[in-house]
Amino acid sequence: MADTNASGGGAAAAATSEQPPTTPSQSKLRILTGGNKVTSGFAAASCGAEFIRRAISERGHANIIVATGASQFEVLDSLVQATGVEWDKCHFFHLDEYIGIPSTHGR
């Protein structure tokens, strides 16, 4: 799995000579490529677990948005096995992309 760091700051920083933000949540974008669904899911879950542990340490709780779809199965399988996460201090929100679709749709 290749690991590449890209400067943060978005289009505004790219279009001007501004310095990228220096806060931890905005300063760098880490891009991981390669592997397969299982190894990519494990890598994403490991990063996610670290952010969750850090949020709990700093704020006493973590708010987590969980994406829908089969593409997330490997991430969630690995995430629930992460050690050192105080799950009772986590608040989960399910990202549902079916807003506006009638209940008769079948999905």
Side-chain angles (χ1 to χ4, degrees):
M1 185 160 301
D3 184 354
T4 307
N5 284 329
S7 294
T16 67
S17 61
E18 294 176 25
Q19 293 294 322
T22 57
T23 60
S25 63
Q26 297 176 341
S27 64
K28 291 186 179 182
L29 173 65
R30 186 172 179 190
I31 301 169
L32 302 172
T33 59
N36 56 44
K37 291 190 316 183
V38 174
T39 58
S40 295
F42 178 80
S46 296
C47 290
E50 179 57 33
F51 280 108
I52 293 167
R53 287 189 290 268
R54 189 179 316 155
I56 293 170
S57 174
E58 293 174 2
R59 294 185 285 280
H61 70 277
N63 295 319
I64 304 158
I65 298 175
V66 180
T68 61
S71 64
Q72 300 304 307
F73 290 166
E74 289 77 16
V75 176
L76 297 176
D77 284 343
S78 292
L79 184 60
V80 298
Q81 297 177 46
T83 58
V85 176
E86 298 175 85
W87 295 111
D88 60 329
K89 296 181 180 178
C90 296
H91 306 274
F92 283 85
F93 300 90
H94 188 251
L95 176 64
D96 195 343
E97 300 166 354
Y98 300 114
I99 295 174
I101 296 176
S103 61
T104 57
H105 184 269
R107 284 200 77 109

